[in-house]
Amino acid sequence: MTVPTPDQDRLTTLLNSETYWTARTMREQGSRFYRALGEALEAADLGNRRLIYATWTDAIWDFYERGLRLEAEEGASGEG
């Protein structure tokens, strides 16, 4: 049995998550590069989303976590 690495766990989590909050956070809080990558992520099909996530797993994980916080904040305030 192969034990998944933390990067594999993160990649699986990213692939199974809603793209909206991660892409939104990238567009709102990222550098010009990450804003563009957020746009690409939101427009990507599953194959290209997998490629984006696999290539920049650590960086996108940060935006994923920020997206979770943003989603929670907006949910708590009744927005969205």
Side-chain angles (χ1 to χ4, degrees):
M1 179 168 118
T2 304
V3 176
T5 67
D7 279 347
Q8 289 170 329
D9 288 343
R10 286 181 172 188
L11 180 57
T12 300
T13 299
L14 289 170
L15 287 167
N16 292 320
S17 69
E18 183 179 345
T19 304
Y20 172 79
W21 293 102
T22 302
R24 178 176 164 184
T25 306
M26 293 173 83
R27 289 191 318 267
E28 291 179 0
Q29 299 178 8
S31 65
R32 193 170 84 180
F33 172 79
Y34 285 111
R35 286 192 305 264
L37 193 55
E39 292 288 333
L41 180 63
E42 193 164 53
D45 61 13
L46 180 59
N48 286 318
R49 216 169 32 246
R50 175 183 286 279
L51 179 61
I52 292 168
Y53 287 149
T55 303
W56 291 288
T57 306
D58 291 337
I60 292 178
W61 186 259
D62 178 57
F63 287 104
Y64 167 75
E65 290 180 325
R66 292 184 205 184
L68 292 176
R69 289 191 296 273
L70 180 62
E71 180 180 19
E73 289 170 9
E74 288 199 5
S77 68
E79 295 178 25

